[in-house]
Amino acid sequence: MAAQDVELTEDLGIAVTKRVRRNDEIEATEVRVIRSDGEQAGVMGIAEAIQMAYDEGLDLVEVSPTADPPVCRIMDFGKHLFELNKKNQSAK
């Protein structure tokens, strides 16, 4: 694993092995959005999608960057990282 593939999130102190883009880091102009309840919101511009996530107090996270258009999910990214870390710890 190359050093640039690992990101240490300052706020949570959790190592992430795959760089996940969220909110303003997403480069696509249009994305397919999955709402926090799991329902599809459809294809929309990135600004509208980020605003939708901010209105819910959550993050817009790119879950499938290679899809056309990329798929993003509205979620609590910190909670998601915590659960992944917990799952990885129990797997050891």
Side-chain angles (χ1 to χ4, degrees), residues 13-81:
I14 301 171
V16 179
T17 57
K18 179 182 160 193
R19 181 70 174 123
V20 177
R21 289 185 286 219
R22 61 190 188 274
N23 300 326
D24 295 327
E25 299 170 350
I26 300 170
E27 298 170 351
T29 55
E30 282 193 337
V31 293
R32 181 175 305 277
V33 177
I34 301 172
R35 296 191 313 232
S36 58
D37 62 3
E39 296 293 319
Q40 286 199 28
V43 177
M44 62 185 70
I46 189 68
E48 183 182 355
I50 291 172
Q51 186 60 49
M52 184 183 290
Y54 284 155
D55 289 346
E56 292 187 37
L58 300 171
D59 298 300
L60 184 68
V61 180
E62 193 174 47
V63 294
S64 183
T66 58
D68 186 30
V71 178
C72 296
R73 181 180 295 270
I74 297 174
M75 67 172 76
D76 182 341
F77 189 67
K79 182 177 177 182
H80 176 68
L81 287 180

Side-chain angles (χ1 to χ4, degrees), residues 1-7 17:
M1 176 177 352
Q4 68 268 20
D5 293 338
V6 176
E7 172 194 299
T17 57

